[in-house]
Amino acid sequence: MSYASKEVGTYTPDHLIADHTHPIDTKAVEIATGSSTLKRGTLINAEGDMCSANEDVPVGILCESVTQSESGTPAVMYISGSFNVDAIIVGNSTSVANFETKLRELGIYLK
């Protein structure tokens, strides 16, 4: 019996990735301890948590949603590429625009 058309998963476009103008690279990261869920597209800081203050240093964008735990949670983040600015998630006390220059230095471009 052939499984050439067997469904193994589904994908719902979320428009996080803007285009393929710049190479998309990923890197493993350990998410900070906590009890919340960080969604795909969350801007991650150097401490492994959501960028929520203008002073935070961004290091990447979460590839998939993860739930924080009492010990560090492994995850994967994008460290370069072109992304939709409206799909990036940051804390309520800041905006994505505050991180645009720092992200460009990493090779992450917002469109």
Side-chain angles (χ1 to χ4, degrees):
M1 176 175 270
S2 174
Y3 289 105
S5 63
K6 180 180 177 183
E7 182 177 319
V8 294
T10 59
Y11 171 72
T12 304
D14 60 4
H15 306 291
L16 175 62
I17 298 172
D19 57 39
H20 295 285
T21 303
H22 304 282
I24 296 175
D25 289 321
T26 60
K27 180 180 180 181
V29 64
E30 188 168 304
I31 299 300
T33 59
S35 60
S36 62
T37 298
L38 300 177
K39 294 183 179 181
R40 170 178 159 85
T42 299
L43 190 59
I44 300 298
N45 64 25
E47 289 77 37
D49 206 355
M50 176 192 297
C51 286
S52 56
N54 294 342
E55 300 79 30
D56 284 346
V57 177
V59 294
I61 300 168
L62 271 183
C63 294
E64 299 293 332
S65 298
V66 296
T67 300
Q68 294 174 304
S69 65
E70 291 182 17
S71 60
T73 305
V76 178
M77 65 181 175
Y78 296 110
I79 57 170
S80 68
S82 299
F83 299 90
N84 182 351
V85 68
D86 296 327
I88 305 298
I89 302 166
V90 296
N92 293 333
S93 62
T94 189
S95 73
V96 177
N98 293 327
F99 302 104
E100 191 164 1
T101 301
K102 292 176 187 175
L103 290 171
R104 266 195 229 126
E105 292 171 5
L106 297 174
I108 295 175
Y109 299 91
L110 303 178
K111 297 183 173 190

